[in-house]
Amino acid sequence: EVVLTQSPATLSLSPGERATLSCRASQSVSTYLAWYQQRPGQAPRLLIYDASNRATGVPARFSGSGSGTDFTLTINSLEPEDFAVYFCQQRSVWPPSFGGGTKVEIK
Amino acid sequence: EVQLLESGGGLVQPGGSLRLSCAASGFTFSRYAMSWVRQAPGKGLEWVSLIGGSGTGTDYADSVKGRFTMSRDNSKNTLYLQMDSLRAGDTAVYYCAKDRCSATSCFFDSWGQGILVTVSS
């Protein structure tokens, strides 16, 4: 099973700042990586697929990059609704696996 | 608009059974694989099971293999998860999630609101 390690566990930032979230895979997953946002009390929402493609309706301030084992989710100019937990997920190697999450909180 | 609505959760004793349902609308249900993903209280996400669009292929996480059975009724646009021999560690919010595949990979592009399953005596 591929283990995805997300860092940091918590990111404390102010609205308008940039957030940089990391996801590292225990083995190569090529670009088969997705990112999800989960607001408190809500279901996860797809943000990014294939490492860098924004899902429908996702604002342009969200961007993804990386390949192989190292991936980054960047949120430019944080909006109040962006304070949430973010998970990465791979399906390159079966079974699908998720990272432990990064919580982006208001500083 | 894709809608996924889970039902059937609740409190069950260890060793008991529960069947979850997920009613789907807004897309051609039979054309898509579906998954169940769970989240223990305050924890991360764990993939549980997947079923192909036709219903003939299923797979399960090792943690539930032999105890959970996933099925679907495409005539009713409904997904099911039969959970037997439940354990305290199965306590979680269970989400049904719709698969979508790009040219290169698959991911979960729509999720239900989730349903809580609590296993406790």
Side-chain angles (χ1 to χ4, degrees):
Chain A
E1 177 178 331
V2 174
V3 176
L4 298 177
T5 302
Q6 291 188 242
S7 61
T10 304
L11 200 51
S12 298
L13 295 168
S14 301
E17 291 193 296
R18 172 183 292 178
T20 303
L21 288 66
S22 173
C23 176
R24 178 163 291 178
S26 59
Q27 65 185 84
S28 176
V29 297
S30 184
T31 57
Y32 305 158
L33 190 102
W35 290 93
Y36 301 85
Q37 175 194 65
Q38 187 176 34
R39 295 172 177 147
Q42 295 188 17
R45 167 199 177 199
L46 176 68
L47 293 177
I48 301 286
Y49 64 92
D50 290 349
S52 61
N53 294 307
R54 274 191 305 276
T56 302
V58 174
R61 63 180 180 274
F62 291 90
S63 63
S65 64
S67 66
T69 60
D70 290 294
F71 300 86
T72 301
L73 175 69
T74 302
I75 313 171
N76 284 311
S77 190
L78 282 162
E79 297 285 342
E81 62 268 27
D82 299 337
F83 292 92
V85 179
Y86 294 84
F87 295 96
C88 57
Q89 178 251 322
Q90 68 81 30
R91 275 175 72 169
S92 174
V93 177
W94 201 259
S97 54
F98 291 88
T102 290
K103 180 180 181 180
V104 179
E105 66 175 22
I106 299 176
K107 186 175 181 180
Chain B
E1 179 192 3
V2 172
Q3 291 197 357
L4 300 169
L5 185 63
E6 301 94 339
S7 61
L11 175 64
V12 61
Q13 292 188 339
S17 298
L18 211 55
R19 188 176 86 153
L20 304 183
S21 300
C22 172
S25 61
F27 64 105
T28 305
F29 183 64
S30 61
R31 293 176 63 178
Y32 293 90
M34 299 289 294
S35 282
W36 288 97
V37 177
R38 69 184 181 183
Q39 186 171 34
K43 301 297 184 182
L45 299 166
E46 178 189 16
W47 171 80
V48 171
S49 60
L50 176 142
I51 189 167
S54 65
T56 55
T58 55
D59 201 3
Y60 301 90
D62 286 346
S63 58
V64 307
K65 199 169 290 185
R67 300 187 298 121
F68 289 12
T69 303
M70 188 175 183
S71 62
R72 63 193 297 161
D73 185 337
N74 286 343
S75 69
K76 295 182 178 179
N77 288 353
T78 302
L79 187 69
Y80 302 101
L81 185 67
Q82 177 67 39
M83 303 185 294
D84 299 319
S85 303
L86 282 161
R87 308 165 180 168
D90 296 319
T91 294
V93 173
Y94 285 73
Y95 297 99
C96 63
K98 172 182 166 286
D99 245 38
R100 180 189 151 202
C101 296
S102 67
T104 52
S105 74
C106 299
F107 38 88
F108 308 119
D109 74 336
S110 297
W111 298 64
Q113 88 290 347
I115 192 81
L116 178 62
V117 172
T118 303
V119 184
S120 176
S121 54

